[in-house]
Amino acid sequence: MIKHIWLDETGASTAEYAILTLAAVGFAGLLLTVLRSPEVRQMLLDLVKSALTVTGNG
């Protein structure tokens, strides 16, 4: 009886999805915190500006 309960995987995929969802939310929060920092924002802005700048060297 106990072995049957131990090996029962009912709801296992639901628990896995819940854990993955929590991990994704945590990662999104961390990414949002990093992207809101002034240093990272300026670095991304400089990158976009340099990508959109047309040079006359060609």
Side-chain angles (χ1 to χ4, degrees):
M1 172 82 176
I2 293 175
K3 186 176 182 179
H4 175 68
I5 293 172
W6 181 259
L7 297 177
D8 186 17
E9 293 187 12
T10 303
S13 61
T14 304
E16 291 168 0
Y17 285 129
I19 290 170
L20 286 175
T21 302
L22 287 174
V25 168
F27 182 71
L30 179 65
L31 188 61
L32 186 62
T33 302
V34 168
L35 290 178
R36 283 190 171 182
S37 72
E39 297 86 8
V40 173
R41 182 177 289 174
Q42 187 61 46
M43 194 169 52
L44 290 173
L45 187 60
D46 292 342
L47 181 66
V48 170
K49 282 182 181 178
S50 70
L52 295 177
T53 301
V54 178
T55 60
N57 295 345

